[in-house]
Amino acid sequence: MVRNIVVLGGSSHPQLTQTICNHLGVAPANVLLDKFSVGETRVEIKESVRGKDVYIIQSGGGKVNDNLMELLITISACKTASARQVTAVLPLFPYSRQSDIPYNKTGAPLSKASNCFNKPDFPYILDSLPQTPHPDHVQSAGLTNGIDGLHKGLSKIQLDESSSASSSPQNARFASYVNGPHNRPETSDSPKSTTYFDRQKNGSTSSLGNGTAKDENNGTKSNNSKSNVFQPQPGYKQWVAQAGTLVADLLTCAGADHIITMDLHDAQYQGFFDIPVDNLYGRPLFKKYIQYQIPDFQQAVIVSPDAGGAKRATAIADGLGMPFALIHKERRPTKISDRQNATMMLVGEVTNRTAILIDDLADTSNTITRAAKLLKKEGATKVYALLTHGILSGDAIDRINASALDKVVVTNSVPQDEHKRRCSKLEVLEVGTIFAEAIRRVHYGESISVLFQYD
């Protein structure tokens, strides 16, 4: 039994909270989690947490935004109640796939979803002109009147400033040395100079600079009038918000002192925090499952469904001494009739072997089902999919049931009861014991590096 510890369970995963408490030998704290009729989250802790270490268990599945707000309010409530330390235990970290701004292969940010402002038929854009020339694009025409027109315009401005300075009493006697001798005063015989307002009154539209001075009556326009016409350009691409950085700042500002999670989608996410972050691995569970549940596993092949998970898959393959294969996913458009496999290419050999797909997360299951179809097409006898976080939203379960996958193994980092009832191919591994051991070691100040050792 662990003393001087309080375990609070959020509404996202009560079964996991109960498993962790049973392993630690403590009862879940009495907390009221409710919503007002308007939809606002209500949190009320009904026992003392003063001077204790509080561990709040809240996963990022299901209603992600509601669960995140509930977690933030609970952390703030514990800090207000004088808790000694507050640790957020997030088996699935919310918004972990939005750690940075996504870029396409040319370096430009990917566009957001279509709306009234970025549709091709929208007549205006929001970016500034002239645009920075792209290496593959033609440079802009630049100044309409050329560099000579710019110099003449600057000279005119300097003359205007000099004339205004010479009109003051102090500078009148020095004006002849700066600007030369005074101009001859106008007489009745000399033509009077016309100003801009006089030209407007007379209907003249003569241009300034190098433009051609023509009268409107002649039906011609100046060069400046052509350059000042606003010409809208479609195709504006909006920047993508960094929601991952915002979530990290929210947890820190709410009062969290420590974060415990598992298999972050992007490891760089840990650098967004100013507090300790323990990123646990699901690889020990997968290694044990491969050794004891897959027959003749030495002849099987570990496959990464994309290049981003290659490091994760090779770690398991090296630890078990198994061969490795990679599926390269090409996202460029194609005109090949077999569109399902046209953008995926297998690098490796899986003929007459069991293929084991390793990935950290499956949301719509589109990637793993397409990978399974490709592996069966390349001669694999069986295809397993081992996933740390089985979110399986939307029609993911129907897609798995109709796919070439023989078995899908996930952890219970998110609730899997409904998924398991609908899918006979699904098998669930327990991660509550790993999180319970991590909480016990953190509470007593012990090292948790043993949880990272899976060889």
Side-chain angles (χ1 to χ4, degrees), residues 163-357:
S163 61
S164 62
S166 62
S167 60
S168 60
Q170 294 85 355
N171 298 330
R173 54 182 176 178
F174 299 105
S176 60
Y177 300 100
V178 177
N179 299 327
H182 290 287
N183 294 330
R184 187 179 61 181
E186 293 182 358
T187 61
S188 58
D189 297 334
S190 61
K192 293 184 179 180
S193 61
T194 59
T195 62
Y196 171 77
F197 299 100
D198 296 333
R199 291 194 299 269
Q200 290 295 106
K201 187 182 298 182
N202 297 330
S204 174
T205 58
S206 60
S207 61
L208 300 178
N210 268 357
T212 59
K214 297 288 184 181
D215 190 54
E216 269 191 353
N217 298 329
N218 295 333
T220 59
K221 295 183 180 180
S222 64
N223 293 337
N224 282 343
S225 62
K226 293 182 181 179
S227 62
N228 291 334
V229 175
F230 179 75
Q231 298 178 356
Q233 298 179 6
Y236 177 74
K237 294 184 178 180
Q238 300 181 4
W239 290 91
V240 183
Q242 291 178 290
T245 308
L246 176 62
V247 172
D249 294 338
L250 287 173
L251 289 171
T252 305
C253 294
D257 301 299
H258 195 176
I259 302 293
I260 299 177
T261 186
M262 174 175 281
D263 276 349
L264 282 171
H265 185 71
D266 198 340
Q268 72 171 357
Y269 208 106
Q270 302 175 68
F272 297 156
F273 288 92
D274 296 329
I275 57 178
V277 178
D278 288 326
N279 184 25
L280 304 179
Y281 297 148
R283 285 175 283 192
L285 295 175
F286 292 158
K287 177 186 174 182
K288 185 179 296 185
Y289 181 87
I290 292 172
Q291 287 176 321
Y292 295 100
Q293 299 297 328
I294 297 180
D296 197 13
F297 70 92
Q298 293 89 351
Q299 303 301 321
V301 181
I302 300 294
V303 183
S304 175
D306 51 25
K311 185 176 181 180
R312 185 184 307 108
T314 53
I316 297 179
D318 294 342
L320 295 175
M322 300 171 60
F324 169 75
L326 172 68
I327 294 179
H328 174 63
K329 186 159 49 176
E330 187 67 46
R331 298 184 182 273
R332 290 183 298 181
T334 179
K335 295 182 180 179
I336 301 178
S337 58
D338 190 8
R339 194 174 183 84
Q340 187 72 6
N341 290 323
T343 58
M344 304 185 77
M345 180 180 64
L346 178 65
V347 181
E349 183 63 35
V350 296
T351 305
N352 297 328
R353 291 186 175 185
T354 299
I356 304 174
L357 289 166

Side-chain angles (χ1 to χ4, degrees), residues 78-109:
C78 293
K79 296 298 288 187
T80 305
S82 302
R84 190 179 74 89
Q85 185 175 3
V86 178
T87 301
V89 181
L90 299 158
L92 171 59
F93 201 97
Y95 291 88
S96 61
R97 288 183 290 178
Q98 301 186 37
S99 57
D100 58 355
I101 299 178
Y103 285 83
N104 58 20
K105 293 184 178 180
T106 60

Side-chain angles (χ1 to χ4, degrees), residues 68-139:
L68 177 60
M69 183 56 63
E70 182 181 278
L71 173 63
L72 296 174
I73 295 176
T74 306
I75 293 174
S76 178
C78 293
K79 296 298 288 187
T80 305
S82 302
R84 190 179 74 89
Q85 185 175 3
V86 178
T87 301
V89 181
L90 299 158
L92 171 59
F93 201 97
Y95 291 88
S96 61
R97 288 183 290 178
Q98 301 186 37
S99 57
D100 58 355
I101 299 178
Y103 285 83
N104 58 20
K105 293 184 178 180
T106 60
L110 297 178
S111 60
K112 286 180 62 177
S114 177
N115 54 46
C116 63
F117 297 107
N118 61 9
K119 289 181 179 179
D121 55 350
F122 186 66
Y124 302 107
I125 62 172
L126 305 178
D127 54 352
S128 60
L129 295 177
Q131 299 176 348
T132 302
H134 191 271
D136 299 332
H137 295 170
V138 181
Q139 294 187 359

Side-chain angles (χ1 to χ4, degrees), residues 6-66:
V6 175
V7 178
L8 294 174
S11 59
S12 63
H13 204 339
Q15 295 86 355
L16 182 62
T17 303
Q18 189 62 47
T19 301
I20 294 175
C21 290
N22 293 340
H23 188 82
L24 294 175
V26 297
N30 189 10
V31 59
L32 174 63
L33 302 174
D34 199 1
K35 284 184 176 297
F36 292 101
S37 59
V38 72
E40 296 179 355
T41 301
R42 177 190 177 191
V43 177
E44 182 178 349
I45 302 174
K46 296 189 174 182
E47 63 181 69
S48 176
V49 296
R50 182 180 295 273
K52 296 182 179 180
D53 292 342
V54 180
Y55 295 85
I56 305 173
I57 303 170
Q58 185 79 302
S59 188
K63 300 179 179 179
V64 182
N65 296 328
D66 291 342

